[in-house]
Amino acid sequence: MVESERALLLESEEPPYPPLRRGEDADIPTCRVSVMVRKRPVSAKEFALKQCDVVTALRDSGHMVVHEPKVSVDMSRRVESSAFAFDGAFGEDSTNDEVYASAVAPLVRLCLEGQGAHATCFAYGQTGSGKTYTMKACYRAVAEELVEGAERCGLSLWVSFYDIYAGKCYDLLSSRKQLSALEDKRGRVRLVGLLETKVKSAREVMTAVERGMACRKTSRTDSNVNSSRSHSIFQVVLRPADAMDSKTPAMSRLSLVDLAGSERGADRGKAVDGKIRQEGAEINKSLLALKECIRALSSSGGGGGVNAVSEGVDPREDLGGDDRHVPFRGSQLTKVLRDAFVGAKSKTVLLAHVAPTSVAAEHTMNTLRYALRLKD
Ligand code: ADP
Ligand code: MG
């Protein structure tokens, strides 16, 4: 039944749903917030378990459609399809290169072009939906494009990698040393002691990435704690070529954030022990705060990139005081990434990930609803 529904959608001559957001807002490279969704393929294990694929991506119109099998009151079976429209929808046959080109490459260009750019890509979705798979590919592509671009533009690149677990920050390039987040008088949060390493080649960037990812996986003392419960943040800061240390003000900053699994929020309340409940509540809080901050950025004007901002300028001035309405204090994640949500040259892409199977359908619906709310 799902298959015939999908065939109808994919083979229809007329687009089954109209494309989203015509006009100015459809210009993805220039709007402040873009929301895209990627569906991963059915895995061999899911296939062996005969789990049904209930998600269809309509690439041309940017829709993700979920087909939920239902039983009517007269006991007849039917499929209920819900369609969600985004700035981009990638199906199981999409490649990392395609996703990178649409979602992350515009952020890299923004960082190379402009003083004061804060570009951020968030990978959102339940555990197992493909966030890390996409992010890993993006680290590599970013490394190559930024190194080449920095050379061309006379800039130097500095990388850092940290994660946030239960509201605390840990440096993934310094054996998970705990970092303190201190707020300066302008309200900016600085991670004191965060190691920023100057890198000259794509290989050096990838060495740092691999070190950080290995640290994220293995260095937890508590074996219950895994990467799906922390947010990891990989940052590349661009400075003038002759910058000698990380005290030199940044020209622009690109952050790639692999978020904690979004299923925690739904699990809240059912959690068995206090620690897990606390963890789930913390993740829930940060994902809700993130939603509010992205919504605030999205409604603060579509023009992104109009006025250049220098490091010395208080971003509040650039938005005419608008950041009072950005609720970044709601979680450690949004506090640390505050500059991603304020300032005239902030641009954010949220790349939501969904698993294809019926077993995951409830989480898939929750993910799509969350993603949809970011720009309405
Ligand atoms: P998450 O980080 O969201 O928990 P992962 O990135 O670890 O999920 O992906 C879960 C599994 O699915 C991994 O084995 C990964 O290799 C595979 N996978 C995810 N996305 C894709 C994709 N687009 N194509 C092929 N395999 C994928
Ligand atoms: Mg992961």
Side-chain angles (χ1 to χ4, degrees):
M1 253 160 48
V2 170
E3 279 316 311
S4 57
E5 185 88 4
R6 173 173 299 125
L8 257 174
L9 288 177
L10 293 174
E11 286 156 23
S12 113
E13 283 189 6
E14 286 286 301
Y17 302 102
L20 173 74
R21 298 181 188 110
R22 297 204 170 275
E24 221 179 52
D25 213 15
D27 188 3
I28 291 166
T30 62
C31 63
R32 293 172 76 91
V33 174
S34 303
V35 182
M36 303 190 190
V37 184
R38 184 180 202 185
K39 168 200 174 186
R40 72 156 167 80
V42 175
S43 69
K45 192 172 161 204
E46 289 162 339
F47 187 77
L49 289 169
K50 298 197 168 51
Q51 290 180 4
C52 173
D53 178 352
V54 296
V55 181
T56 305
L58 299 174
R59 182 99 176 248
D60 294 342
S61 66
H63 282 81
M64 204 53 98
V65 188
V66 183
H67 316 282
E68 290 177 292
K70 301 266 173 179
V71 180
S72 301
V73 273
D74 64 359
M75 300 308 280
S76 60
R77 283 148 52 92
R78 65 195 161 84
V79 171
E80 203 172 281
S81 294
S82 316
F84 300 81
F86 299 101
D87 298 309
F90 301 96
E92 59 275 35
D93 50 358
S94 61
T95 64
N96 283 326
D97 285 349
E98 289 165 340
V99 175
Y100 172 79
S102 299
V104 183
L107 300 179
V108 171
R109 284 196 291 273
L110 180 74
C111 286
L112 287 168
E113 274 163 20
Q115 172 112 356
H118 281 277
T120 314
C121 177
F122 293 95
Y124 179 93
Q126 77 173 111
T127 300
S129 57
K131 299 180 295 297
T132 304
Y133 180 88
T134 303
M135 281 296 112
K136 265 172 147 171
C138 290
Y139 299 142
R140 187 170 295 281
V142 160
E144 284 164 10
E145 208 170 333
L146 268 184
V147 165
E148 189 268 321
E151 231 167 69
R152 192 166 20 90
C153 304
L155 297 167
S156 61
L157 301 176
W158 302 70
V159 297
S160 56
F161 206 175
Y162 58 97
D163 72 3
I164 303 178
Y165 169 69
K168 297 197 173 68
C169 303
Y170 301 92
D171 194 336
L172 294 174
L173 299 182
S174 294
S175 317
R176 293 201 90 243
K177 183 179 80 176
Q178 192 178 331
L179 301 163
S180 33
L182 296 184
E183 202 170 313
D184 68 15
K185 58 180 188 302
R186 284 210 181 100
R188 288 184 190 185
V189 174
R190 307 243 175 235
L191 286 177
V192 180
L194 175 69
L195 185 70
E196 278 188 15
T197 315
K198 191 172 185 175
V199 285
K200 295 205 178 79
S201 65
R203 179 189 280 263
E204 278 178 35
V205 179
M206 289 315 292
T207 304
V209 164
E210 277 152 23
R211 238 178 57 219
M213 289 189 69
C215 182
R216 195 181 184 209
K217 251 195 217 143
T218 58
S219 69
R220 308 238 185 234
T221 45
D222 180 343
S223 61
N224 275 330
V225 179
N226 63 43
S227 63
S228 74
R229 296 181 206 173
S230 65
H231 309 296
S232 85
I233 298 149
F234 177 69
Q235 261 177 357
V236 188
V237 172
L238 287 77
R239 296 195 166 89
D242 57 359
M244 295 306 288
D245 58 35
S246 56
K247 290 195 185 76
T248 309
M251 308 273 290
S252 49
R253 189 182 299 266
L254 175 72
S255 308
L256 299 178
V257 185
D258 189 349
L259 292 166
S262 56
E263 70 281 1
R264 299 285 148 194
D267 286 349
R268 200 166 59 137
K270 280 187 250 161
V272 282
D273 74 41
K275 186 166 172 281
I276 293 177
R277 191 171 321 134
Q278 168 76 32
E279 226 173 46
E282 193 65 43
I283 292 171
N284 208 31
K285 188 170 84 173
S286 57
L287 296 178
L288 287 174
L290 177 65
K291 178 163 76 179
E292 294 313 317
C293 289
I294 295 180
R295 280 169 61 83
L297 176 65
S298 165
S299 61
S300 70
V306 207
N307 304 312
V309 191
S310 74
E311 263 282 300
V313 176
D314 186 338
R316 271 173 292 195
E317 288 160 21
D318 306 308
L319 286 181
D322 259 8
D323 92 327
R324 274 169 300 168
H325 308 297
V326 179
F328 61 87
R329 283 180 204 283
S331 74
Q332 187 72 316
L333 173 75
T334 46
K335 263 193 239 171
V336 167
L337 292 174
R338 170 189 177 272
D339 286 358
F341 310 112
V342 298
K345 293 197 94 183
S346 296
K347 180 173 170 59
T348 283
V349 174
L350 185 122
L351 195 48
H353 290 75
V354 295
T357 62
S358 52
V359 182
E362 201 184 323
H363 287 311
T364 297
M365 290 292 280
N366 287 339
T367 295
L368 297 176
R369 286 193 196 105
Y370 178 99
L372 202 65
R373 290 278 292 141
L374 298 172
K375 280 182 83 166
D376 61 6

